[in-house]
Amino acid sequence: MAFSLETSIIMSLALSLFLQSSSLCVPEAVKVRNSAAATVISVKQEVNPAFIYRLETQTTQQGTISVLKCSPQKMVESLSLYRDLKFLMTQRSEHP
């Protein structure tokens, strides 16, 4: 089976290109995985934050502004806890 000079050059270049690109895939895959993990963590913190209120400052070209962020779920949980505690305290005061 006879190969021409062009075929031998193209095959060696294609093989080296394939090997080089496959060696670059692993670091890029690690970077993509780390980026995806960071994105998941940030979305998780936005959906279920650990605070009721938080004050953030945002800067623009004109200056800075303060932004008050709150967690509606934490507000509902704290109101429910308050109602439960109030109910328990009033029940205990009625029954000595």
Side-chain angles (χ1 to χ4, degrees), residues 10 15 26-27 34 38 42 57 72 92:
I10 290 173
L15 185 60
V26 174
N34 291 341
S42 67
T57 56
R92 286 187 180 176

Side-chain angles (χ1 to χ4, degrees), residues 4-95:
S4 66
L5 181 62
E6 293 89 9
T7 306
S8 62
I9 292 173
I10 290 173
M11 288 301 291
S12 62
L13 288 176
L15 185 60
S16 66
L17 181 66
F18 174 72
L19 292 174
Q20 181 66 25
S21 64
S22 65
S23 68
L24 294 176
C25 289
V26 174
E28 290 300 319
V30 170
K31 289 178 186 176
V32 168
R33 185 175 184 176
N34 291 341
S35 175
T39 304
V40 166
I41 290 171
S42 67
V43 168
K44 181 182 173 188
Q45 288 175 351
E46 282 293 321
V47 170
N48 191 12
F51 58 87
I52 294 178
Y53 292 109
R54 182 174 67 182
L55 185 66
E56 290 183 353
T57 56
Q58 294 182 352
T59 58
T60 61
Q61 293 176 349
Q62 290 81 17
T64 62
I65 59 171
S66 298
V67 178
L68 180 67
K69 290 190 173 184
C70 66
S71 171
Q73 180 64 32
K74 296 291 180 185
M75 292 295 293
V76 169
E77 290 172 1
S78 61
L79 285 173
S80 177
L81 177 64
Y82 170 74
R83 287 182 187 144
D84 290 343
L85 289 175
K86 182 180 174 187
F87 177 75
L88 289 173
M89 296 305 264
T90 56
Q91 290 297 326
R92 286 187 180 176
S93 64
E94 290 177 4
H95 301 286

